[in-house]
Amino acid sequence: LPLALLSGTDAKRYRYGFVGTEDWSMYPAVPAGSLLVVDDTKRKIQASGWRSLSERPIYFLEHRDGYYCRWCSVQDGMISLIADPASESPILTFRFPEEIEVVGQVIGIAMTLDPEKRRRIRP
């Protein structure tokens, strides 16, 4: 892992996740192919306390079909996984905690700044 990109991060204290190279659901906040630093002690979904989307906590979640990196909202035993509005990805909803687990809150991101590698290709 390119842990040198995550300067100031205690490599042994946190977990790490990878956003798939075709997963544009959190773009531009979290580009496809990003390496995530996940604090697994922060598993409770915050319902408020941020002033903008850039301050809203992003969570890394595990589902039987794979992993998700999204903003979240919990209500009435359901969790909604909210994508960045610019991505045009749908909101996903699961029974919580039966169908999906919060691994932790994303506290760091390492990504490429090369525009050729970040170019979004739409079908």
Side-chain angles (χ1 to χ4, degrees):
L1 295 174
L3 296 178
L5 296 173
L6 305 170
S7 62
T9 303
D10 180 0
K12 294 178 182 176
R13 180 175 171 203
Y14 300 108
R15 296 178 75 174
Y16 299 88
F18 182 74
V19 177
T21 57
E22 301 298 320
D23 181 355
W24 295 97
S25 61
M26 284 300 289
Y27 181 82
V30 181
S34 295
L35 175 66
L36 308 174
V37 180
V38 180
D39 185 342
D40 60 4
T41 67
K42 296 181 178 182
R43 298 177 56 167
K44 185 174 181 192
I45 304 297
Q46 290 182 354
S48 62
W50 57 87
R51 295 172 288 196
S52 67
L53 285 181
S54 63
E55 292 181 0
R56 187 172 185 173
I58 299 171
Y59 296 91
F60 194 66
L61 304 106
E62 183 176 6
H63 184 262
R64 68 175 176 262
D65 294 331
Y67 293 88
Y68 293 95
C69 174
R70 301 272 180 107
W71 291 305
C72 298
S73 176
V74 176
Q75 186 174 9
D76 299 327
M78 300 296 286
I79 188 168
S80 297
L81 308 187
I82 305 162
D84 192 295
S87 76
E88 300 178 4
S89 295
I91 293 174
L92 304 173
T93 305
F94 299 97
R95 286 181 292 142
F96 182 69
E98 297 85 4
E99 294 181 334
I100 195 162
E101 176 185 353
V102 178
V103 176
Q105 182 179 332
V106 176
I107 61 162
I109 301 170
M111 61 187 167
T112 182
L113 296 176
D114 182 348
E116 288 297 315
K117 292 182 179 174
R118 287 186 12 180
R119 181 172 291 137
R120 181 173 183 173
I121 301 170
R122 287 190 165 181

